[in-house]
Amino acid sequence: EAGVAQSPRYKIIEKRQSVAFWCNPISGHATLYWYQQILGQGPKLLIQFQNNGVVDDSQLPKDRFSAERLKGVDSTLKIQPAKLEDSAVYLCASSSTSMETQYFGPGTRLLVL
Amino acid sequence: DAKTTQPNSMESNEEEPVHLPCNHSTISGTDYIHWYRQLPSQGPEYVIHGLTSNVNNRMASLAIAEDRKSSTLILHRATLRDAAVYYCILRAIAGGTSYGKLTFGQGTILTVHP
């Protein structure tokens, strides 16, 4: 069974630029999550989708971050414009339901200069 | 969200058992105890979970105190590949805004010496 795929794996941008990350969850998984992990900390949930609807985006900085899951399968997370403090690893995870085990992708490491 | 407390770091020797403690004194009756681990440069992976009884799987064992205010993840024979950050997480199975969520703390960094 293929795992959660993410791309790109690494990204370096200048502050105030835009960046987008892509995630393809495990086939059939209805629930998709985006986490932000700052160096030395545990992952923090940014947004949770159930199919193509948002369940929780309470910790998403909506002035600069946006995410979509239009067809209820893959998802993109965008930052526009990026700030230095956005440097982190962005992890995507999926689960068959919101109570089942979450499976994580390898993450995208973002460096904002 | 109910919180957990873990030591910042622990060390072990290869092929010896490792006991990773977690305190969760404010656990509620609807919280499952989950453990995830994160290997270097990878996303977290599920290890084990339980509610009241001790649990075993191919990766580890989970010992839960009778009052559920603490638990211990047991790796029976540590290998170099077990070096990772181990997260103890309380996951609500009913009600409220925390339903189903994983709230990660800083975890325990496990170092395994050859």
Side-chain angles (χ1 to χ4, degrees), chain A residues 37 42 56 98-100 102 104, chain B residues 36 38 44 91 100-101 105:
Chain A
Q37 185 171 25
D56 181 2
S98 60
M99 272 308 301
E100 294 298 320
Q102 293 187 24
F104 286 78
Chain B
Y36 277 72
Q38 188 169 21
R91 195 178 192 193
K101 287 185 172 41

Side-chain angles (χ1 to χ4, degrees), chain A residues 9 33 35 37 40-43 45 48 55-56 91 95 97-106 109, chain B residues 32 34 36 38 41-46 49 87 91-94 97 99-106:
Chain A
R9 291 296 312 277
Y33 313 80
Y35 290 83
Q37 185 171 25
Q41 299 181 17
L45 179 68
Q48 176 183 344
V55 173
D56 181 2
L91 295 159
S95 59
T97 72
S98 60
M99 272 308 301
E100 294 298 320
T101 297
Q102 293 187 24
Y103 296 88
F104 286 78
R109 190 174 300 272
Chain B
Y32 270 85
H34 282 246
Y36 277 72
Q38 188 169 21
S41 300
Q42 296 188 26
E45 65 174 348
Y46 167 81
H49 76 279
Y87 297 99
R91 195 178 192 193
I93 60 169
T97 57
Y99 175 74
K101 287 185 172 41
L102 294 178
T103 301
F104 290 83
Q106 290 195 299

Side-chain angles (χ1 to χ4, degrees), chain B residues 33-73:
Chain B
I33 301 159
H34 282 246
W35 285 81
Y36 277 72
R37 72 180 185 180
Q38 188 169 21
L39 303 173
S41 300
Q42 296 188 26
E45 65 174 348
Y46 167 81
V47 177
I48 199 166
H49 76 279
L51 184 62
T52 56
S53 303
N54 295 344
V55 184
N56 299 295
N57 66 20
R58 63 174 181 82
M59 289 181 71
S61 296
L62 177 60
I64 301 173
E66 199 168 331
D67 64 5
R68 300 209 325 126
K69 293 185 177 181
S70 66
S71 61
T72 302
L73 178 71

